[in-house]
Amino acid sequence: MTPPHETAVITPAMVAALCAIVGTDGVIAGDDELLVYECDAYTLEKHLPGVVVLPRSTEEVAAVVKLCAEHHLPIIPRGAGTSLSGTVLAVTGGVMIALTRMNRVLEVDYRNRRALVEAGCVNAWVTNAVKSQGLFYAPDPSSQSACTIGGNVGTNSGGPHTLKYGVTTNHVLGYEMVLPDGEVVWLGTTPDGGEDVDGYDLRGAAIGSEGMFGVVTRVLVRLIRAPQAFKTLLGVFETVDDASQAVSDIIGAGIVPGALEMMDQLITQAVEAAYHFGFPLDAGAVLIIELDGLAASLDKQAAQVVEICRKNRARDVRIAKDDQERAELWKCRKRAFGAIGRLSPNFITQDGVVPRSKLPEMMRFIQRCSEEYGLRIPNVFHAGDGNLHPLILYDERDPDQVRRALAVSDDI
Ligand SMILES: Cc1cc2nc3c(=O)[nH]c(=O)nc-3n(C[C@H](O)[C@H](O)[C@H](O)COP(=O)(O)OP(=O)(O)OC[C@H]3O[C@@H](n4cnc5c(N)ncnc54)[C@H](O)[C@@H]3O)c2cc1C
């Protein structure tokens, strides 16, 4: 076994053995090509893997893992590399197994509302494959146009619609995984099985385990009926406190929106500059509130939400007038991180969850941290489930800013 912190050596013979399994076009070993795999979306730390392999089947993954086990080489499973916490860093080098060529939706079982997909399948492609039949795959991380189902399993991803529909573990019925010795197992419901599983329920074991237990190769996901109708509202508030109180009051009134998202002033300004939706530049915070369900029930709920927002001093509450406006609004929200480039060359995001009732207190704390450390910290987050994303802006060319960015991250 490679001792801790000592970089694993990948010999030419090992590269040749990997090529024999996945083909020469499935192995990346050149230094400049490996740079693509040196980090994920947490770009502050970087480690090059010794080699990257791009298998096309479970058999190829199993053969690679077995070879690595025999040679005591670390393996690092990787999807799209959009994780925000350095989970795919090859800290001691080793063999990175990127699943991006195993990206197909293999089968859709409409009668049982399930789909069998390869682990490298992009999240949004699952819904795209079934939406004509009125179904969708619910977990929708904001990175869903790039991130993979295998990565979602690795991180137990949530997203804007987690508030109502839950996270990845609530929508994965079972999966195939290659264990560290190369054995292939299926955990949970099988594609041809019923919902109940005999024996121990091990399905949850690897969900959220960041690839530590093996390489997931195929996933059986639950599909659900798409809501009949949506009403998407934009609430404009003078302060984050007022917007946070409106979040608590909406849930307190027994309304469970499909999504309840907040953007503070700094991120709203950046998003507006990038995507020109028409967000007010002087608002303290905006809320995106999406109601979904039976069309007949939504008008009443929307009226209640408008009233709650107004009671919390909302300056304006708008309802998206059609599907296109709704899509535009979501595009802005889901691409908010992409707009950060307008504010700063680098950012680190934290991803923490607090009880909804603590949102105002936490947002004030983040503001104080920002002042204390002299770094700007915009916030865009899943307010309904108290899932915060303070984005700490810094410039990596300035070592003191890097130091302060790490220190303020610790504090938060
Ligand atoms: C702009 C942006 C918005 C985001 N929004 C959200 C959000 O709303 N909600 C959210 O939860 N996250 C969000 N994220 C974080 C990230 O997109 C998710 O964690 C996503 O699930 C990672 O998927 P990936 O395919 O990129 O996985 P990677 O980053 O490649 O890997 C993530 C982890 O999963 C493991 N892994 C990957 N594939 C496999 C596999 N086949 N078998 C076993 N382990 C595997 C890796 O080893 C690693 O530990 C966002 C990221 C960005 C950049």
Side-chain angles (χ1 to χ4, degrees):
M1 178 64 92
T2 307
H5 308 305
E6 197 168 295
T7 301
V9 177
I10 306 292
T11 60
M14 175 55 63
V15 173
L18 291 168
C19 287
I21 298 169
V22 295
T24 45
D25 68 338
V27 174
I28 295 172
D31 279 350
D32 45 353
E33 287 178 308
L34 286 174
L35 279 180
V36 174
Y37 299 89
E38 68 179 356
C39 65
D40 54 16
Y42 171 76
T43 55
L44 196 57
E45 251 184 273
K46 292 169 184 154
H47 291 274
L48 279 187
V51 61
V52 177
V53 291
L54 303 159
R56 291 185 191 274
S57 66
T58 302
E59 293 70 31
E60 288 185 3
V61 174
V64 168
V65 171
K66 211 169 186 168
L67 183 71
C68 293
E70 281 161 16
H71 292 265
H72 305 294
L73 287 173
I75 56 166
I76 308 104
R78 178 179 162 119
T82 66
S83 156
L84 293 159
S85 46
T87 55
V88 293
L89 285 183
V91 185
T92 53
V95 179
M96 185 168 278
I97 303 177
L99 279 293
T100 39
R101 285 189 181 179
M102 293 175 60
N103 58 16
R104 290 171 302 163
V105 174
L106 295 170
E107 280 167 36
V108 181
D109 176 354
Y110 288 108
R111 285 162 65 104
N112 291 307
R113 293 196 187 160
R114 313 161 165 179
L116 179 66
V117 306
E118 290 181 309
C121 180
V122 170
N123 172 297
W125 297 357
V126 183
T127 293
N128 287 348
V130 298
K131 68 178 170 204
S132 64
Q133 302 301 313
L135 297 174
F136 78 117
Y137 175 62
D140 63 336
S142 301
S143 53
Q144 71 177 146
S145 57
C147 69
T148 66
I149 297 293
N152 297 167
V153 170
T155 55
N156 193 16
S157 265
H161 290 84
T162 289
L163 174 62
K164 182 164 183 177
Y165 294 101
V167 289
T168 298
T169 193
N170 306 118
H171 298 272
V172 166
L173 297 166
Y175 51 89
E176 179 185 71
M177 183 161 75
V178 178
L179 299 179
D181 62 357
E183 185 191 349
V184 180
V185 295
W186 187 282
L187 301 182
T189 301
T190 53
D192 54 1
E195 297 253 333
D196 287 342
V197 187
D198 288 345
Y200 296 119
D201 180 7
L202 296 174
R203 186 198 55 91
I207 299 180
S209 72
E210 299 186 346
M212 295 304 285
F213 295 145
V215 186
V216 174
T217 41
R218 291 189 298 160
V219 186
L220 185 67
V221 298
R222 188 194 302 282
L223 302 172
I224 55 178
R225 169 95 16 231
Q228 188 186 44
F230 298 94
K231 271 214 189 298
T232 309
L233 297 90
L234 178 72
V236 180
F237 293 83
E238 304 298 346
T239 66
V240 169
D241 264 18
D242 287 346
S244 304
Q245 192 56 49
V247 169
S248 282
D249 290 354
I250 290 169
I251 307 285
I255 301 168
V256 184
L260 187 37
E261 301 280 302
M262 195 187 304
M263 300 199 291
D264 73 5
Q265 185 176 62
L266 195 49
I267 193 79
T268 305
Q269 289 171 347
V271 165
E272 183 57 22
Y275 309 123
H276 316 294
F277 177 80
F279 290 112
L281 298 178
D282 59 343
V286 299
L287 284 184
I288 300 173
I289 308 149
E290 180 154 285
L291 303 167
D292 64 13
L294 292 173
S297 68
L298 294 187
D299 282 344
K300 188 171 161 220
Q301 277 187 40
Q304 267 180 291
V305 168
V306 171
E307 195 188 316
I308 291 169
C309 290
R310 297 223 186 278
K311 199 185 83 198
N312 285 293
R313 293 168 288 282
R315 180 203 298 178
D316 187 20
V317 190
R318 281 192 252 159
I319 300 184
K321 62 179 183 301
D322 52 28
D323 283 351
Q324 195 188 335
E325 199 173 57
R326 172 177 176 251
E328 289 292 320
L329 193 53
W330 276 118
K331 186 177 97 181
C332 293
R333 164 58 190 94
K334 293 204 169 181
R335 295 190 182 170
F337 283 22
I340 295 288
R342 294 183 175 260
L343 299 175
S344 166
N346 303 94
F347 71 91
I348 323 178
T349 180
Q350 296 303 313
D351 195 339
V353 183
V354 298
R356 267 187 301 272
S357 56
K358 299 278 184 194
L359 276 179
E361 186 183 330
M362 191 60 205
M363 296 299 288
R364 283 195 289 268
F365 176 76
I366 292 170
Q367 180 55 33
R368 280 201 304 279
C369 285
S370 164
E371 285 156 17
E372 188 184 330
Y373 286 90
L375 294 174
R376 290 175 300 165
I377 310 183
N379 291 275
V380 47
F381 58 99
H382 311 306
D385 35 332
N387 181 190
L388 295 164
H389 297 319
L391 298 153
I392 297 139
L393 309 187
Y394 70 100
D395 184 339
E396 71 178 355
R397 293 165 296 191
D398 176 351
D400 187 53
Q401 283 195 37
V402 174
R403 184 193 61 72
R404 281 182 279 141
L406 288 171
V408 76
S409 294
D410 276 353
D411 279 13
I412 291 172

